[in-house]
Amino acid sequence: MTARIIDGKQVAESIRSELTKEVAELKKKGIIPGLGVILVGENPASISYVTAKEKACHDIGMFSSDNRLPATTTQKELLDFIEKMNKDPKINGILVQLPLPKHINEKDILTAINPDKDVDGFHPVNVGKMVMGEKAYLPCTPHGVVQLLARSGVKIDGAHVVVVGRSNIVGKPVANMLLQKAKNANATVTICHTGTPDIGYFTRQADIVIVAAGRPNTVTADMIKEGAVVIDVGVNRVPDSTKKAGFRLVGDVDYDNVKEKASMITPVPGGVGPMTITMLLFNTIESARTTAG
Ligand code: GUN
């Protein structure tokens, strides 16, 4: 079997065109959804992510406040900055790009964001609500994965999903979202991680495999059941002198071989990536709508 390629760019564009209409409707009522973006330091991947997030806001008619702070920014200065954004009525969503420099405590920062403006869904209040199946801002990458599955016609209800990776940003939240007794969920979920002696033993039983391990070739063809759906969340830079940038992007899955066995697969780039930003826009618009009442 050769897999159907799930085109994340196309699915993302279709959601963004729905969102563009919503922004236009809100503007008629005098509401302009606004995102406050904060980047501390100069991590090249982070610069590229936040630039894409800001551009995406402008493309659909939203407002963004773009803030680049030096790597020497103190925790107190960052907390003060967040407090200002918490109070700013033009800002409906606050995004502090991760990772933060080592001298800043990530947990303290994420907890300082007003949960009602936490469009990344990383605040403990939103994480708790999500786990309990209550309405909450859902973290963007896992939410994008679920939307990608649902909009590609993948049956999640009753499926066995194996998640590889247990990060707070992807693995844990996507597993929690898919096990809820809800629409686009109700799956049997297994989570594998660095403490799992034989990850293939579990992935071979999966109808859907979601890989967010942060390491190329974590999942190979021998680890996949014929006809499984494979979602690759990995974004790894590997040196490539034939590219202008000196590197190319690969996922966590051995794509060329796995695509011969899977029924559907996401490429890297062009799979999950475009969905992450789209769900960030979705959450910020939702926040603007909620604030407006
Ligand atoms: N770093 C990697 N992914 C993310 C994300 O989804 N949000 C933020 N804020 N930082 C990230």
Side-chain angles (χ1 to χ4, degrees):
M1 178 181 281
T2 298
R4 191 185 115 201
I5 312 298
I6 298 178
D7 185 344
K9 241 173 109 177
Q10 197 178 52
V11 177
E13 266 162 30
S14 121
I15 300 175
R16 283 188 208 190
S17 82
E18 295 165 23
L19 296 178
T20 306
K21 284 183 206 141
E22 281 189 48
V23 172
E25 284 303 311
L26 286 170
K27 275 188 176 168
K28 282 186 202 159
K29 297 180 195 159
I31 302 158
I32 302 172
L35 177 69
V37 179
I38 305 172
L39 171 62
V40 185
E42 284 162 12
N43 178 318
S46 293
I47 291 173
S48 131
Y49 291 141
V50 299
T51 307
K53 288 170 186 179
E54 290 155 357
K55 180 177 179 301
C57 282
H58 305 151
D59 285 350
I60 72 161
M62 285 169 47
F63 162 72
S64 82
S65 163
D66 310 336
N67 304 280
R68 304 282 192 273
L69 307 183
T72 50
T73 304
T74 65
Q75 173 147 335
K76 167 88 170 54
E77 285 167 336
L78 184 55
L79 287 170
D80 289 346
F81 208 91
I82 290 169
E83 197 43 39
K84 232 171 51 194
M85 282 192 168
N86 279 340
K87 292 193 178 122
D88 186 343
K90 292 196 297 300
I91 302 292
N92 303 106
I94 301 172
L95 181 134
V96 179
Q97 185 66 26
L98 305 178
L100 287 164
K102 288 203 170 38
H103 65 275
I104 296 178
N105 182 312
E106 186 178 296
K107 203 173 95 200
D108 290 350
I109 298 301
L110 297 179
T111 309
I113 296 171
N114 178 348
D116 295 333
K117 295 190 177 188
D118 171 39
V119 287
D120 251 332
F122 292 161
H123 191 288
V125 164
N126 283 316
V127 176
K129 284 184 177 175
M130 176 199 62
V131 171
M132 294 171 84
E134 291 176 24
K135 192 171 155 44
Y137 289 117
L138 299 175
C140 304
T141 302
H143 194 188
V145 168
V146 175
Q147 284 298 312
L148 210 47
L149 288 168
R151 289 175 184 245
S152 303
V154 177
K155 190 172 175 294
I156 301 171
D157 193 331
H160 182 197
V161 178
V162 173
V163 177
V164 183
R166 58 175 154 189
S167 70
N168 289 333
I169 292 184
V170 185
K172 279 183 205 159
V174 84
N176 269 293
M177 286 161 69
L178 290 170
L179 65 76
Q180 300 298 330
K181 193 164 184 176
K183 194 173 156 231
N184 297 332
N186 206 30
T188 302
V189 180
T190 302
I191 309 179
C192 298
H193 45 73
T194 48
T196 309
D198 182 3
I199 292 175
Y201 171 80
F202 297 98
T203 53
R204 274 189 289 276
Q205 299 172 48
D207 305 305
I208 302 169
V209 180
I210 299 170
V211 193
R215 191 179 59 125
N217 290 317
T218 299
V219 168
T220 49
D222 59 302
M223 296 166 73
I224 294 294
K225 178 172 81 175
E226 189 78 35
V229 175
V230 179
I231 305 291
D232 189 351
V233 188
V235 184
N236 305 290
R237 291 181 171 200
V238 297
D240 186 341
S241 56
T242 69
K243 303 277 179 203
K244 210 169 75 193
F247 67 86
R248 68 192 150 86
L249 294 180
V250 300
D252 291 348
V253 172
D254 176 12
Y255 179 81
D256 288 339
N257 292 308
V258 169
K259 79 171 180 345
E260 299 306 324
K261 223 166 159 191
S263 61
M264 292 190 212
I265 189 166
T266 58
V268 177
V272 174
M275 295 297 292
T276 296
I277 297 183
T278 304
M279 302 328 291
L280 176 71
L281 303 175
F282 176 93
N283 281 350
T284 308
I285 294 166
E286 176 66 20
S287 172
R289 206 188 296 115
T290 310
T291 308

